Amino acid sequence: MITIALAKGRILKQVVPMLEQIGIRALDDPDTSRKLILQTDNDDVRLVVLRATDVPTYVQFGAADLGVVGKDGLMEHGGEGLCELLDLNIARCRLMTAVPNEQTARASNGRIRVATKYVKLAQQHYQSKGIQAEVIKLYGSMELAPLVGLADEIVDLVETGGTLKANNLVERELIAEISCRLVANAASMRRQHSAIRDLVGRLESVL
Ligand code: PRP
């Protein structure tokens, strides 16, 4: 049995048709079902649908053999115990720092405050630039933080740029190009090598 962990939200909507193309069809609609484990028409494959941030953890500890998750989530997790197998080339976006439109330069001394759900990545980024940053963890709507004085900057995903624009924010630095990845548990890769290789091959053929 192979268990595949899928990240909820935008990724799910694009991954489900991809899995269907390679003959893995959930018996209940993953988008609407309240079931946490979804059987498929393939007796050897089942799906679990999780918050994106939990996917790497389930795969790391072998609770899922494979996971489909954004590179952002993988980088923030650190990738321990995971093998990255495939770039699915969907849900492409950028992890950026962003600031209010009128904020032309950073204060050259003192700390700045940064709001993000990517605490580790933000800390690494500002540290690498020699900027003292106090990073505040948020779980959503990062764009609001600079508008109400919670933070000077944000670190967040930008896809079309529409959310930044609507909130009078502008992109500053690129931290990473992001897309959706297939990852495997390192032990599952050894135990279920041929089944996983076969699934990866089929996915590659539809990419
Ligand atoms: C993401 C991200 C931005 C927005 C960027 O949020 O956090 O807010 O999309 O997209 P855009 O550049 O096309 O406007 P999402 O809607 O996925 O919700 P989230 O805040 O729960 O992550």
Side-chain angles (χ1 to χ4, degrees):
M1 170 68 78
I2 291 185
T3 302
I4 309 176
L6 304 178
K8 275 183 197 168
R10 294 180 195 207
I11 288 180
L12 187 65
K13 287 194 172 60
Q14 297 180 65
V15 170
V16 166
M18 206 177 251
L19 290 175
E20 287 178 356
Q21 269 183 285
I22 64 163
I24 299 172
R25 193 177 296 271
L27 299 184
D28 298 274
D29 181 354
D31 220 16
T32 55
S33 174
R34 300 295 296 168
K35 285 187 185 167
L36 299 173
I37 299 179
L38 298 173
Q39 306 301 331
T40 70
D41 54 4
N42 182 328
D43 284 345
D44 297 327
V45 180
R46 63 180 185 172
L47 308 176
V48 290
V49 181
L50 307 170
R51 284 181 79 132
T53 44
D54 290 336
V55 170
T57 309
Y58 272 72
V59 179
Q60 175 187 359
F61 290 99
D65 303 293
L66 295 173
V68 178
V69 67
K71 181 73 178 172
D72 51 320
L74 281 181
M75 288 165 62
E76 181 69 13
H77 169 270
E80 198 190 329
L82 305 179
C83 310
E84 199 177 306
L85 300 180
L86 213 52
D87 183 348
L88 297 179
N89 212 12
I90 53 175
R92 297 198 72 86
C93 55
R94 291 160 286 136
L95 185 66
M96 301 289 306
T97 68
V99 295
N101 204 357
E102 68 278 4
Q103 188 178 308
T104 48
R106 274 185 188 124
S108 57
N109 53 0
R111 274 163 96 83
I112 59 164
R113 279 207 303 204
V114 179
T116 186
K117 60 179 164 192
Y118 304 99
V119 172
K120 243 170 57 181
L121 294 176
Q123 279 165 342
Q124 284 165 8
H125 174 74
Y126 289 98
Q127 211 167 26
S128 75
K129 299 188 83 66
I131 297 164
Q132 283 204 320
E134 179 187 356
V135 179
I136 300 172
K137 167 96 181 179
L138 292 180
Y139 293 86
S141 303
M142 265 69 74
E143 294 86 353
L144 177 62
L147 308 184
V148 293
L150 179 60
D152 304 296
E153 307 193 358
I154 61 169
V155 168
D156 196 11
L157 297 179
V158 179
E159 190 181 353
T160 62
T163 312
L164 290 183
K165 197 162 176 223
N167 293 292
N168 204 26
L169 301 170
V170 290
E171 300 177 16
R172 183 164 270 173
E173 292 133 7
L174 174 71
I175 299 179
E177 296 280 353
I178 303 296
S179 60
C180 184
R181 308 297 163 102
L182 178 72
V183 293
N185 170 269
S188 300
M189 272 304 280
R190 290 190 294 274
R191 258 198 332 266
Q192 312 215 55
H193 191 262
S194 63
I196 290 176
R197 274 287 145 215
D198 172 62
L199 198 142
V200 170
R202 283 188 283 148
L203 271 175
E204 272 173 334
S205 72
V206 300
L207 285 182

